[in-house]
Amino acid sequence: MERLNQTSSVSEFILLGLSSRPEDQKPLFILFLIIYLVTITGNLLIILAICSDPQLHTPMYFFLSVLSFTDICFTTTIVPRMLVNFLSHKTISYAGCLTQMYFIYALGNTDSWLLVVMAFDRYVAICDPFHYVTTMSHRCCVLLVAFSCSLPHFHSLLHTLLLNQLTFCDSNIIHHFLCDLSPLMKLSCSPTFVNEIVLMTEASAFLVTPFLCIAFSYIRILITVLKIPSTSGKCKAFSTCGSHLTVVTLFYGSIFYVYLQPVSTYTVRDHVATIVYTVLSSMLNPFIYSLRNKDLNQGLRKLLGRRKPQVAPP
């Protein structure tokens, strides 16, 4: 960061957060503390249930456990910093801000590519069930997860390095509750043309490509399901995809609203959409995936049953 100190007079930023009113800080702290604890508990229970139940040792649940672990890391990158800001100083160092932004983009895009992998898993299970075991082998699943977890880090590194080339010499107030690319670019007193071009090309492509892969998978799934003669068969096929579709809609709907727009149009109203994909989706994912999933519910019951103290017979 030595180059930074020579070219920029800003050594820290001020995160204004969700509200500047003092009376709002404690209620917001309590609200997001509850959300954070529910998120950690819910996703941890999903991971433990999948690991402890041999019946859940399938590709679909393996991907779900990785998604839950990523959600824990993703939320931990954001919410603890918010909680500190609610009750004490709202400042964050330049290095801390760039570090947070790096992990937000890396982990958020990991979520995105894991959703693609889960859509591919459903596509193979429904459209090519006879080759499912050979196609979704253990080696293939590990490679898919490795790809999903590694590629986003290169994307995040690119934007972090480009942002580090900018100069910040005037305002250091970020009208946001986290260090995001668009609000930071608006604070720069140096030209951001290259950053905006990369944001609107590479970033948009990196964001839209996973969504298109998911859409293609579900179009093929829909065509296959419509060929099933029985209504019960169609319902059973669709039921295996319902949870995933709900998560995809929640996640991508909020992300597209925030990022597929010019930097100059980024406003405080986008905070709500940012909260949806950074905080709420991670909290809701365990509930969405376990709500109508009998196998996962059974695994959770087994897990919680083991944790109950055994009472000795009289």
Side-chain angles (χ1 to χ4, degrees):
M1 293 296 174
E2 291 182 1
R3 187 206 66 81
L4 164 69
N5 295 331
Q6 296 172 358
T7 60
S8 176
S9 62
V10 174
S11 60
E12 63 181 20
F13 293 103
I14 299 173
L15 293 167
L16 289 186
L18 297 174
S19 174
S20 58
R21 297 166 56 188
E23 61 269 25
D24 292 340
Q25 304 309 306
K26 285 187 178 180
L28 286 172
F29 174 86
I30 294 171
L31 174 63
F32 280 91
L33 177 61
I34 293 172
I35 290 175
Y36 182 61
L37 293 176
V38 170
T39 301
I40 299 299
T41 304
N43 284 287
L44 193 58
L45 284 174
I46 293 291
I47 295 171
L48 292 175
I50 292 172
C51 292
S52 62
D53 191 347
Q55 292 185 345
L56 299 180
H57 293 176
T58 64
M60 180 176 70
Y61 294 111
F62 170 63
F63 298 140
L64 179 57
S65 65
V66 178
L67 181 68
S68 293
F69 177 76
T70 305
D71 281 340
I72 290 174
C73 298
F74 190 32
T75 307
T76 302
T77 303
I78 299 166
V79 179
R81 179 75 247 181
M82 293 176 67
L83 297 178
V84 171
N85 291 349
F86 286 140
L87 295 185
S88 61
H89 62 88
K90 295 180 180 292
T91 60
I92 182 171
S93 67
Y94 185 96
C97 192
L98 260 64
T99 301
Q100 185 191 55
M101 192 194 78
Y102 173 86
F103 283 106
I104 286 174
Y105 279 89
L107 295 170
N109 282 288
T110 298
D111 261 6
S112 179
W113 284 101
L114 285 172
L115 291 175
V116 174
V117 170
M118 294 172 77
F120 176 70
D121 174 74
R122 292 299 85 205
Y123 161 74
V124 177
I126 294 173
C127 300
D128 193 16
F130 297 109
H131 296 93
Y132 179 79
V133 175
T134 54
T135 302
M136 302 303 296
S137 63
H138 178 72
R139 179 176 179 273
C140 178
C141 291
V142 171
L143 288 175
L144 287 171
V145 168
F147 171 81
S148 301
C149 294
S150 58
L151 183 63
H153 283 273
F154 293 103
H155 164 77
S156 182
L157 183 62
L158 169 65
H159 289 279
T160 304
L161 292 176
L162 284 175
L163 187 69
N164 196 37
Q165 301 303 311
L166 301 180
T167 303
F168 300 89
C169 50
D170 297 322
S171 175
N172 66 337
I173 299 175
I174 301 175
H175 294 270
H176 213 324
F177 60 87
L178 50 76
C179 292
D180 202 358
L181 195 56
S182 297
L184 284 168
M185 286 168 59
K186 291 177 73 172
L187 292 180
S188 173
C189 54
S190 59
T192 60
F193 178 74
V194 174
N195 301 72
E196 293 194 38
I197 291 297
V198 174
L199 184 63
M200 296 303 295
T201 53
E202 187 272 345
S204 297
F206 199 82
L207 180 64
V208 173
T209 300
F211 179 78
L212 292 178
C213 293
I214 294 173
F216 175 77
S217 297
Y218 275 106
I219 290 172
R220 294 295 303 271
I221 289 172
L222 180 62
I223 293 172
T224 301
V225 170
L226 291 177
K227 294 178 181 178
I228 299 176
S230 65
T231 304
S232 60
K234 293 178 181 177
C235 292
K236 183 178 180 181
F238 278 128
S239 66
T240 64
C241 304
S243 299
H244 184 258
L245 273 174
T246 304
V247 172
V248 167
T249 303
L250 186 69
F251 186 77
Y252 279 102
S254 55
I255 282 185
F256 285 160
Y257 179 82
V258 173
Y259 291 108
L260 293 187
Q261 57 177 315
V263 174
S264 58
T265 64
Y266 194 92
T267 64
V268 178
R269 291 177 299 177
D270 298 321
H271 290 184
V272 176
T274 305
I275 289 174
V276 171
Y277 85 84
T278 57
V279 180
L280 292 184
S281 64
S282 297
M283 182 190 72
L284 294 175
N285 282 356
F287 297 100
I288 294 172
Y289 279 109
S290 63
L291 189 61
R292 297 180 61 184
N293 190 312
K294 294 180 180 178
D295 293 334
L296 189 54
N297 280 327
Q298 186 177 0
L300 286 169
R301 282 195 295 269
K302 288 180 181 178
L303 176 68
L304 296 175
R306 291 196 192 102
R307 300 296 182 266
K308 292 181 180 179
Q310 299 295 324
V311 180

